Amino acid sequence: MEVSKSTVVKVFIGASLLYYILAPTVKEYFNLNPKPMFTKRPDKFTTGLINLRNDCFANSSIQAYSSLPGLTDYLNDFITAFKKIETFLINNGIDRDFEDFETSSQGGSSKTTDDSTSSDSPPPSTSTNPKFKKMEMEFNIPLHISLAKIIKKLQSTQLTSRTISVWTFLHDLEKIFNAKISRSQHDAQELTQLINETLEHENLKIIRKFNFLKKINKKVLQEGIEIPEFPLNGLILNQMKCINCRGLSKPNFSPFLMLTLHTPESVSTDLETLLNENESEQIDDYQCLKCKIKKLIEHEKSLNGLDRQRQLDNNYSAEEIDFLYQLNDFNDNESSFINEDLPKDLENYIKDYKKTDITVKSTVLRKNQILKPPKIFGLHLSRSSFNGFNVVRNSCRVSFRDHLNLSIGKEYLEELKNFKQMAFKDIDESKVLTNDVNDMEDDDVQDEKLEVQGDINQVEDIEDEDNDDDVEVDDDDDDDSSVDTVKKQETLNKSPITTDQTDDLVNHFKSFNFNENDNYKYRLKAMIRHQGSHTQGHYECYKRKPLFVKDSEGMIIKLSPEILDEVIEDSVFDKSRSLSSSSERSTDDEVESGSFRRKFSNMVNRKPAVFQADPEIITNEIIPDGLNTPAEFQFDKENDYFNLDQVNKKINKFKKISSVLKHPYWRISDSMISEVTKAAVLVETTSVYMLYYEREEPKTST
């Protein structure tokens, strides 16, 4: 029986495929030419994000978020505080979506009319944005939870390659706005801005509702709940100064979540220059109101000295004389603004003044001063350029460093500290509660069971006397209050500001830690690059590795914070539906089961001992002082930085693992991960698009 040629070919192909499939398994079984399944370095791999179409804009944006320790700490603290409020609502029978009358009566505005409580209101923000109106009343934080879940996956230590999808998060974003992500090309900065605004809105919504809850149920004060401030929030002062008259414009305060800097039409520049140019700008041919009025008043004085009788003799109308005296007062007032809003009739008088040419074109300097350096400083380099026909991409080389310094300015620093003190004025001035043991009321006076016996008439007489005294004391207090009440500061650098602006500044700075040296140091945590044209291209993220250190016994410890397990658990309201008498036992079983799963997972994956440190504060890298090398870290022996029995707490010096020193960044192009040096990041001058710097907390603050 002859075998056909086609049959031989099929057998050969089948045998080849079988060998290709089984050979690696046989070799591994008999330990032939073995290859390690996992790397022993915990910093070689990290989780990537798959790109099925045009997902690089979202992949790079979310990867950058996962590299920010300050954002991780914020998510942990904020979601934990939110769940504590949920628990309080359940325990006290309060509806989850309890109505905030301030919101319902003011259309989402967080403003209050009572000055005594205005310091409890969050600063103005996205809460007034129409796109957030639907979610305003709901007591939930869906984007915080969703972002925390995906960041936790991206932060987990990986010993081999791993890829997940960003669409779990994007679908949650779609549900919030009841819309769909389009198929067209997207801008990473636009997505980041949307995420930032939504996160800030959720933050301020919970702050406002919590403040309202404190008013309607005082018991919540006993819970010790503190809601953290959104860490990307900064504040800029915009003001102009006329070179001729030295007058100032009205101060304008602009909150920002990411600062946009426009790249110049030049071959190259650097980040510090862009920041300086954004801070100061010269404007020519500006019509300064103070200069114009000064020239008008000088001309009138040359005519008749602004003497009322001489004006009447020269047929001045009573109305015109009144206008001129108002303008003279404006001219003499050093606090008047170069862009003052004058009454319409007075404005028309200046416009129609024909006795002399009062047109004055001045040069003014526009100043954009960062008053509040944010905890996380996000920068967007706008590379849009118009070439006369259409918008193209600006390829200007922008050099940047891995560290950055900001300062508020001595002319603002001390006054801004006053706004922080004003936030706690009501608490500091309270005479009801005290921590002074020598000033505390005696226990026998506080005894609830104390019974007072005596003549009823005598008691009534005493009460009448007390009431009379109360009336007199109230009258005295009313008289004294007009003198002793601390008035709110309504100036900044000698410029008058409105009451609303004062309240906003109090809210912005009540939780801010001022550095006595006015030097706020930042370190680069992530950079997003963009290559391609203005309308198309590809995004990649460079993100700083977590801080892995090793002790003298070779134990590897991860010092960078991670999203906590309990943070991404189901909502307290959802859990409460299944509560029963066995809830405590179920909770214990879950803890034991989770612990077993972690131990079993570590054993199966053959992971080396990498322990997650549990610092209560972010551990900053210590600047060498001559005793330590840049690779060494030293901690106070009295502080318990690690919630681990395995760590020898007598050892207080650790070293970075060498690979973190050599390659401190990951370059992440969707699912492709590679380790890179610091120089490889800083060389991306033509493609740098977004930067994330994080502020190191000052050692001494006020």
Side-chain angles (χ1 to χ4, degrees), residues 193-465:
Q193 188 70 13
L194 177 62
I195 294 172
N196 288 347
E197 289 179 355
T198 308
L199 290 173
E200 189 198 30
H201 166 77
E202 291 183 353
N203 174 282
L204 297 181
K205 176 179 68 174
I206 299 305
I207 290 177
R208 186 186 59 257
K209 285 184 172 288
F210 180 60
N211 288 333
F212 176 65
L213 181 61
K214 289 189 291 186
K215 296 178 183 178
I216 64 176
N217 196 317
K218 299 295 185 182
K219 289 193 298 182
V220 74
L221 297 173
Q222 303 171 7
E223 302 295 324
I225 300 172
E226 294 185 4
I227 301 179
E229 185 182 22
F230 190 51
L232 282 91
N233 183 278
L235 186 69
I236 289 181
L237 167 66
N238 310 109
Q239 196 169 32
M240 295 184 295
K241 183 175 184 177
C242 177
I243 294 180
N244 293 342
C245 67
R246 316 303 291 178
L248 298 172
S249 68
K250 288 183 178 180
N252 180 42
F253 302 97
S254 304
F256 68 92
L257 301 175
M258 174 169 279
L259 186 62
T260 295
L261 301 175
H262 296 276
T263 52
E265 298 293 333
S266 60
V267 177
S268 64
T269 186
D270 57 75
L271 186 61
E272 286 78 6
T273 300
L274 290 181
L275 286 170
N276 292 335
E277 290 177 349
N278 182 73
E279 180 179 329
S280 181
E281 177 188 6
Q282 180 172 308
I283 302 176
D284 297 323
D285 297 334
Y286 181 83
Q287 294 193 20
C288 171
L289 180 64
K290 290 196 69 172
C291 291
K292 185 181 294 187
I293 292 177
K294 180 180 179 181
K295 190 172 183 180
L296 185 153
I297 293 298
E298 288 177 348
H299 181 70
E300 285 294 330
K301 286 182 177 180
S302 67
L303 295 178
N304 45 50
L306 278 184
D307 180 84
R308 184 179 295 272
Q309 185 58 48
R310 292 174 62 183
Q311 290 172 334
L312 291 173
D313 293 342
N314 288 302
N315 298 322
Y316 281 68
S317 67
E319 183 182 38
E320 183 178 8
I321 294 174
D322 182 57
F323 286 158
L324 289 173
Y325 276 91
Q326 289 184 52
L327 294 176
N328 186 55
D329 291 341
F330 179 92
N331 185 55
D332 292 340
N333 184 4
E334 294 182 358
S335 298
S336 56
F337 297 121
I338 64 175
N339 59 344
E340 188 79 50
D341 294 326
L342 299 176
K344 192 66 177 178
D345 51 357
L346 193 59
E347 183 180 329
N348 290 333
Y349 175 76
I350 297 174
K351 184 186 300 183
D352 298 335
Y353 191 83
K354 304 298 183 182
K355 298 178 184 179
T356 187
D357 184 12
I358 60 172
T359 302
V360 180
K361 293 185 178 181
S362 308
T363 298
V364 297
L365 296 178
R366 183 195 298 274
K367 188 172 186 179
N368 299 319
Q369 178 67 36
I370 297 178
L371 289 185
K372 179 186 176 185
K375 171 62 180 174
I376 299 172
F377 190 23
L379 290 162
H380 163 231
L381 303 183
S382 175
R383 291 188 173 273
S384 299
S385 178
F386 185 69
N387 63 3
F389 300 96
N390 50 26
V391 179
V392 296
R393 185 178 186 277
N394 186 339
S395 59
C396 173
R397 294 196 298 269
V398 181
S399 59
F400 57 98
R401 297 183 293 175
D402 71 333
H403 60 277
L404 185 68
N405 292 340
L406 292 180
S407 61
I408 295 175
K410 294 181 179 180
E411 64 269 36
Y412 306 105
L413 187 60
E414 294 304 320
E415 286 186 294
L416 292 177
K417 289 181 181 179
N418 293 336
F419 290 107
K420 180 174 183 176
Q421 295 174 359
M422 288 166 57
F424 302 99
K425 175 175 67 68
D426 294 335
I427 299 175
D428 294 339
E429 293 181 352
S430 173
K431 304 300 182 182
V432 178
L433 299 177
T434 180
N435 292 320
D436 185 359
V437 294
N438 298 319
D439 190 35
M440 293 180 180
E441 189 60 271
D442 296 334
D443 291 340
D444 56 349
V445 177
Q446 302 179 54
D447 191 352
E448 296 176 353
K449 298 178 181 179
L450 182 65
E451 295 182 3
V452 179
Q453 296 179 350
D455 187 5
I456 295 178
N457 295 328
Q458 181 180 357
V459 173
E460 291 177 349
D461 291 340
I462 293 174
E463 289 176 350
D464 291 339
E465 291 176 5

Side-chain angles (χ1 to χ4, degrees), residues 464-478:
D464 291 339
E465 291 176 5
D466 290 340
N467 289 336
D468 291 339
D469 290 340
D470 288 342
V471 172
E472 293 179 2
V473 170
D474 287 342
D475 289 340
D476 292 339
D477 287 343
D478 288 339

Side-chain angles (χ1 to χ4, degrees), residues 571-590:
S571 165
V572 178
F573 270 93
D574 295 333
K575 284 186 175 182
S576 65
R577 299 171 185 170
S578 59
L579 288 177
S580 62
S581 59
S582 61
S583 61
E584 292 185 3
R585 178 182 58 81
S586 300
T587 302
D588 292 338
D589 291 343
E590 289 176 4

Side-chain angles (χ1 to χ4, degrees), residues 137-183:
M137 294 302 299
E138 299 175 352
F139 188 78
N140 58 11
I141 49 171
L143 196 65
H144 277 81
I145 301 294
S146 181
L147 183 61
K149 287 180 178 179
I150 193 169
I151 284 181
K152 183 171 180 62
K153 294 177 181 178
L154 296 176
Q155 289 178 339
S156 62
T157 302
Q158 300 298 319
L159 301 182
T160 186
S161 58
R162 181 195 183 199
T163 304
I164 62 174
S165 174
V166 75
W167 275 97
T168 303
F169 173 80
L170 294 182
H171 285 322
D172 289 339
L173 189 64
E174 290 177 329
K175 291 176 185 177
I176 292 174
F177 292 98
N178 193 25
K180 293 290 185 181
I181 303 290
S182 67
R183 295 182 179 180

Side-chain angles (χ1 to χ4, degrees), residues 505-627:
L505 289 173
V506 169
N507 286 311
H508 272 290
F509 288 97
K510 62 184 178 181
S511 300
F512 186 77
N513 291 325
F514 287 95
N515 190 332
E516 292 183 355
N517 298 323
D518 193 26
N519 184 18
Y520 299 90
K521 298 180 179 180
Y522 288 81
R523 294 197 71 211
L524 181 65
K525 295 297 181 180
M527 185 271 281
I528 294 177
R529 60 174 285 191
H530 177 262
Q531 287 186 315
S533 66
H534 177 71
T535 56
Q536 291 184 339
H538 179 64
Y539 293 98
E540 294 180 353
C541 177
Y542 291 85
K543 75 176 186 180
R544 188 181 290 272
K545 292 180 180 179
L547 183 55
F548 290 100
V549 297
K550 186 183 295 186
D551 65 10
S552 59
E553 298 177 355
M555 181 181 297
I556 298 176
I557 303 168
K558 185 178 181 181
L559 291 182
S560 300
E562 290 185 353
I563 297 295
L564 303 175
D565 290 333
E566 54 267 28
V567 163
I568 61 173
E569 291 177 352
D570 292 336
S571 165
V572 178
F573 270 93
D574 295 333
K575 284 186 175 182
S576 65
R577 299 171 185 170
S578 59
L579 288 177
S580 62
S581 59
S582 61
S583 61
E584 292 185 3
R585 178 182 58 81
S586 300
T587 302
D588 292 338
D589 291 343
E590 289 176 4
V591 173
E592 292 178 2
S593 175
S595 177
F596 173 77
R597 284 196 299 268
R598 285 193 295 270
K599 292 178 180 178
F600 182 75
S601 176
N602 288 344
M603 180 179 66
V604 170
N605 291 335
R606 307 177 192 176
K607 290 185 177 180
V610 179
F611 296 100
Q612 172 66 40
D614 188 22
E616 292 186 358
I617 59 173
I618 296 177
T619 305
N620 292 325
E621 295 190 35
I622 298 177
I623 300 175
D625 57 4
L627 299 177

